[in-house]
C-alpha cells in the first residue's frame, strides 16, 4: 500500500517568521541583527553583503559602475558562500575585502539599478529557513520580506554613525578619516534614500528605533521587546 504525506493546504501553512531590520549605513543593523538572531537561535541575512560582493566582483572585472547590464550579469552569476560568519567569493575569502569604503560606495551606486536588485531578490529569499530569519538591509521590510512578522527601522545621527564606522575600520587595521567618512556617508545616505527603486525608507508598519544614544545591548533588548510584543 502506498502512503501519502498529508500536507496542509497552502493557506494554513505558517510562514517562517522574519524580523526585518532596515536602516542607513553604519546604523548598527548588522551587529543588532546578529545579536537578535543569536538570542532567538535564528539565521541571519546580511543583504548589504550581497551588494558589496557584486561590487567587489564587478571591480575585479574592471567594470564601470555605469554598466548596469554588465553588473547585473555579475550579480546573477555570483558564486558566493556564507560559512560560519565568513564570506567567500569564487572560493576566496573576502570577509574583510568587501568592507572597504571603496567597495561600499560602488555597492551603493550599483544598488540603484533595477536589474541588479532583481538579480539579487531570490538569492535573499532563500535565506528564509526555520525556525526564523533576522534580515538586515535597506528594503527587507518593504520589498524582500513585506510579510515580515516584525519590521524595525534603525536610525542614528550621521555623526554617531561616522564615528562608529571610523572606530570599526581602525580596529580592523584599515586606515580611516572621520571627515572623509562623514562626507561619504552623507552622499551614500542621499543616494540610498533618493533612488527610485526600493529606496531606503521605513515601511509604514515599521517600528522606528533611534540608537544614537543607546548601547548595543539596549538596542538588542528593544528589538527583542518589540518581538515579544508582536
Ligand atoms: O549595509 P551595507 O552598508 O553593507 O550596504 C552596502 C550598500 O548596498 C548600501 O549603500 C546600499 C546597498 N544595499 C541596498 O541597496 N539594499 C539592501 N537591502 C542592502 C544594501
Amino acid at each position: 500500500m502506498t502512503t501519502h504525506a498529508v500536507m496542509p493546504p497552502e493557506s494554513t501553512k505558517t510562514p517562517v517568521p522574519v524580523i526585518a531590520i532596515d536602516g542607513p549605513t553604519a546604523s548598527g543593523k548588522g551587529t543588532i541583527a546578529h545579536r537578535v538572531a543569536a538570542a532567538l537561535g535564528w539565521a541571519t541575512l546580511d543583504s548589504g553583503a550581497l551588494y558589496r560582493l557584486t561590487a567587489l566582483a564587478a571591480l575585479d572585472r574592471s567594470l564601470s559602475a555605469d554598466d548596469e547590464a554588465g553588473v547585473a550579469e555579475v550579480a546573477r552569476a555570483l558564486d558566493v558562500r556564507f560559512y560560519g560568519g565568513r564570506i567567500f567569493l569564487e572560493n576566496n575569502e573576502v570577509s574583510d575585502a568587501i568592507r572597504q569604503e571603496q567597495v561600499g560606495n560602488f555597492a551603493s551606486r550599483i544598488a540603484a539599478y533595477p536589474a541588479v536588485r532583481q538579480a539579487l531578490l531570490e538569492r535573499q529569499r532563500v535565506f528564509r529557513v526555520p525556525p526564523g530569519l533576522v534580515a538586515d538591509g535597506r528594503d527587507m521590510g518593504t520589498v524582500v520580506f513585506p510579510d515580515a512578522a516584525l519590521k524595525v527601522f534603525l536610525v542614528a545621527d550621521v555623526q554617531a554613525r561616522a564615528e562608529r564606522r571610523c572606530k570599526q575600520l581602525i580596529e580592523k587595521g584599515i586606515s580611516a578619516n572621520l571627515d572623509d567618512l562623514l562626507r561619504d556617508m552623507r552622499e551614500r545616505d542621499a543616494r540610498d534614500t533618493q533612488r527610485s527603486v526600493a529606496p531606503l525608507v521605513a515601511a509604514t508598519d515599521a517600528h522606528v528605533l533611534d540608537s544614537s544614544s543607546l548601547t548595543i545591548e539596549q538596542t538588542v533588548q528593544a528589538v527583542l521587546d518589540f518581538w515579544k510584543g508582536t
Side-chain angles (χ1 to χ4, degrees):
M1 196 175 88
T2 325
T3 53
H4 296 283
V6 181
M7 300 297 286
E10 218 38 50
S11 59
T12 63
K13 268 196 228 162
T14 315
V16 173
V18 174
I19 295 179
I21 304 184
D22 289 304
T25 194
S27 56
K29 304 177 303 285
T31 307
I32 303 306
H34 273 96
R35 301 236 185 153
V36 169
L40 297 171
W42 290 10
T44 54
L45 163 62
D46 169 5
S47 64
L50 289 170
Y51 289 90
R52 288 171 178 269
L53 283 156
T54 304
L56 184 65
L59 284 165
D60 284 350
R61 288 164 179 71
S62 305
L63 291 185
S64 153
D66 297 327
D67 181 359
E68 176 170 1
V71 177
E73 189 44 48
V74 167
R76 265 189 293 276
L78 216 53
D79 173 13
V80 295
R81 250 177 339 117
F82 291 83
Y83 188 74
R86 298 164 70 195
I87 304 175
F88 296 83
L89 177 63
E90 286 149 13
N91 289 327
N92 298 313
E93 182 166 9
V94 293
S95 315
D96 290 336
I98 60 163
R99 301 295 159 200
Q100 299 172 89
E101 286 305 292
Q102 179 209 8
V103 177
N105 288 328
F106 195 98
S108 161
R109 293 181 62 191
I110 57 143
Y113 295 140
V116 171
R117 305 201 72 83
Q118 188 58 39
L120 295 179
L121 193 57
E122 285 310 316
R123 272 184 194 267
Q124 295 173 76
R125 291 185 173 148
V126 298
F127 283 78
R128 188 175 192 167
V129 288
L133 174 69
V134 184
D136 83 84
R138 304 291 187 288
D139 60 343
M140 298 297 96
T142 49
V143 176
V144 183
F145 304 110
D147 63 337
L150 170 66
K151 300 177 187 180
V152 177
F153 195 73
L154 195 60
V155 294
D157 62 58
V158 72
Q159 183 77 30
R161 289 186 283 128
E163 283 168 12
R164 280 181 199 160
R165 174 59 56 83
C166 198
K167 195 163 157 254
Q168 265 173 8
L169 289 170
I170 289 166
E171 277 167 7
K172 283 186 183 153
I174 302 172
S175 67
N177 172 292
L178 188 59
D179 288 338
D180 291 349
L181 282 171
L182 259 173
R183 191 201 53 231
D184 286 354
M185 215 163 262
R186 288 199 174 101
E187 279 175 15
R188 202 184 306 178
D189 281 353
R191 247 192 328 260
D192 291 350
T193 315
Q194 289 160 17
R195 66 176 178 230
S196 54
V197 188
L200 170 65
V201 61
T204 48
D205 49 350
H207 296 264
V208 178
L209 181 59
D210 187 338
S211 73
S212 307
S213 55
L214 298 181
T215 63
I216 292 175
E217 288 71 26
Q218 288 169 327
T219 313
V220 170
Q221 196 52 52
V223 176
L224 290 171
D225 289 346
F226 287 142
W227 175 242
K228 279 186 213 130
T230 56

